[in-house]
Amino acid sequence: MFRGIGLDEIADDDPPTRGEIARAIESRGAWAAVDAADRPVGYLVASRLQGSLHVDQVTVHPDVARRGIGRRLISAADACAEAEGIGALTLTTFARVPWNAPYYRRLGFSELGADGLPEDLAAVVAHEASLGLARWPRVVMRRECGAIRPPGRS
């Protein structure tokens, strides 16, 4: 999908390695969505920062996009964070990609200014810039845990 909007470098980016996924699972920072045949169709990887669960990556296979899978993955991470007493979800994303910042706004995330970010979140932004991601407009976003519940959840 990124290739279709001129972000070929992002489209060509390698997925997380087995080792990275294993570390995320060990740290209770990975969620997966599977289809009826138990095949993975999406995943979310997150890390714990001071005061937030930081969503490092959400990926849903394009064949099953726009079916609520990403929203359910974020809801699962939100529920886990809330159960651990973590107050918020944070993430960084592309500002102008329709399925990025605008999507997260619909899920209750708000943009944070670059000034005054907690040190560990500022370090995430600096690391992403060192990888070249700052060539495209990006934003840091935050949402209070429990801000949006999926249907049927109280």
Side-chain angles (χ1 to χ4, degrees):
M1 292 173 62
F2 284 104
R3 193 172 314 286
I5 61 168
L7 294 177
D8 293 0
E9 291 176 62
I10 302 305
D12 293 337
D13 192 33
D14 291 327
T17 66
R18 288 180 186 257
E20 290 168 333
I21 294 292
R23 284 188 293 282
I25 291 168
E26 288 173 17
S27 69
R28 297 179 339 272
W31 291 263
V34 297
D35 65 13
D38 205 33
R39 293 178 301 230
V41 294
Y43 65 90
L44 183 151
V45 175
S47 52
R48 285 157 181 80
L49 300 181
Q50 186 174 351
S52 74
L53 181 66
H54 185 75
V55 177
D56 297 308
Q57 185 169 357
V58 179
T59 299
V60 175
H61 194 282
D63 289 349
V64 294
R66 304 189 58 82
R67 297 184 189 172
I69 294 169
R71 177 185 291 264
R72 287 192 299 275
L73 287 165
I74 291 168
S75 291
D78 180 281
C80 178
E82 189 175 30
E84 291 181 21
I86 297 172
L89 297 180
T90 55
L91 56 86
T92 58
T93 193
F94 295 107
R96 298 186 186 132
V97 174
W99 60 89
N100 280 187
Y103 170 74
Y104 292 117
R105 275 189 212 95
R106 290 191 302 273
L107 296 183
F109 285 85
S110 300
E111 290 182 30
L112 298 176
D115 296 333
L117 291 176
E119 189 175 317
D120 51 0
L121 189 51
V124 168
V125 172
H127 175 70
E128 291 177 351
S130 76
L131 298 174
L133 291 175
R135 289 183 296 230
W136 303 280
R138 292 185 59 80
V139 294
V140 179
M141 303 183 88
R142 183 178 194 278
R143 167 181 124 172
E144 297 298 315
C145 285
I148 295 180
R149 299 284 185 211
R153 183 172 171 195
S154 55

